[in-house]
Amino acid sequence: MGYPLIDVLRTGQRLKEACIKKNIEAKEIKQFLGLAAMQSIYNWFQGKALPSLDNFYALSSYLGTELDS
């Protein structure tokens, strides 16, 4: 078993897909997480960055998914 890595691009795609499935817009995520700008969310969706662990946890709760999924 190797060191587990997070596929940033695939994670962003799955996050975006989950939002589309739940009909949740980036603006709602911004408000829920208390972010100052939407650019972070767009970077997550595009696989350019990952949410912080705190934001990952909050997003999994908001989207009704498991943190590791």
Side-chain angles (χ1 to χ4, degrees), residues 6 11 14-15 50-69:
I6 297 174
T11 300
R14 292 191 67 186
L15 179 57
L50 291 171
S52 67
L53 184 55
D54 290 346
N55 286 339
F56 253 136
Y57 182 73
L59 282 169
S60 69
S61 176
Y62 192 66
L63 296 170
T65 62
E66 297 283 329
L67 182 60
D68 61 350
S69 67

Side-chain angles (χ1 to χ4, degrees), residues 3-63:
Y3 185 81
L5 297 174
I6 297 174
D7 183 335
V8 180
L9 185 59
R10 181 68 185 129
T11 300
Q13 292 170 341
R14 292 191 67 186
L15 179 57
K16 186 174 182 178
E17 290 167 3
C19 289
I20 291 169
K21 183 178 178 181
K22 300 272 186 173
N23 200 29
I24 295 173
E25 296 182 8
K27 182 170 69 171
E28 294 174 64
I29 294 173
K30 176 186 171 287
Q31 291 172 340
F32 177 74
L33 296 176
L35 300 175
M38 304 242 307
Q39 192 60 43
S40 295
I41 300 162
Y42 294 134
N43 285 340
W44 301 341
F45 286 172
Q46 295 170 5
K48 294 180 180 178
L50 291 171
S52 67
L53 184 55
D54 290 346
N55 286 339
F56 253 136
Y57 182 73
L59 282 169
S60 69
S61 176
Y62 192 66
L63 296 170

